[in-house]
Amino acid sequence: MKRTILLIEDNEQNRYLTTYLLRNKGYDVVSADDGHAGIARAEEGGVDLILLDIQLPVMDGYAVAARLREGPATSRIPIVAVTSYAMAGDREKALASGCNGYIEKPINPETFVSEVERYFLNSGTAERT
Ligand code: MN
């Protein structure tokens, strides 16, 4: 079974690059361009990890992470914040809201996937079938 990553990101270029990098390494990628759609997709199931932009319209990433942590269907899914906020306080805020980790934008295409892979519940690369 391929692992599925849910990408919640409102910027189309960022979605394109991130999706490309992850698919190239054998992951299935589903995406949502706002927090409500992302939460709904996570609740449908089959998501192994969530990449969460913090700067989102209407509902920011902190609120999305907090909501995901409250939901019985989503509370255990690893969440990795991906954000251009570089301040230490924002990192702490992401962790406090329920994110497991933090990757800074702009992402480094050379190392991005391996950074993401550190956060799977069972570490390792994508299983290929
Ligand atoms: Mn954004």
Side-chain angles (χ1 to χ4, degrees):
M1 285 273 291
K2 279 186 176 184
R3 281 174 162 154
T4 298
I5 294 175
L6 170 60
L7 172 62
I8 306 175
E9 164 67 76
D10 63 315
N11 181 281
E12 186 177 0
Q13 284 186 308
N14 290 341
R15 278 203 308 275
Y16 181 86
L17 174 62
T18 306
T19 299
Y20 171 81
L21 292 170
L22 292 166
R23 286 188 178 152
N24 195 42
K25 294 287 186 181
Y27 294 98
D28 277 334
V29 180
V30 292
S31 61
D33 61 8
D34 68 54
H36 294 290
I39 290 165
R41 180 60 191 83
E43 288 173 344
E44 285 177 27
V47 172
D48 297 298
L49 183 143
I50 296 168
L51 288 172
L52 177 62
D53 180 28
I54 295 298
Q55 288 184 289
L56 291 167
V58 186
M59 185 180 193
D60 70 23
Y62 304 121
V64 173
R67 184 81 68 81
L68 289 166
R69 282 294 168 256
E70 289 170 4
T74 57
S75 63
R76 292 175 54 82
I77 304 172
I79 304 171
V80 183
V82 185
T83 176
S84 52
Y85 289 165
M87 304 292 287
D90 294 311
R91 186 177 202 136
E92 286 160 13
K93 201 172 166 186
L95 298 176
S97 65
C99 295
N100 299 80
Y102 179 101
I103 296 174
E104 278 182 22
K105 286 179 186 174
I107 64 168
N108 179 347
E110 303 284 332
T111 59
F112 179 73
V113 176
S114 60
E115 287 180 67
V116 171
E117 286 170 341
R118 294 166 45 205
Y119 295 101
F120 280 115
L121 287 176
N122 302 304
S123 60
T125 54
E127 295 168 46
R128 291 156 204 252
T129 54

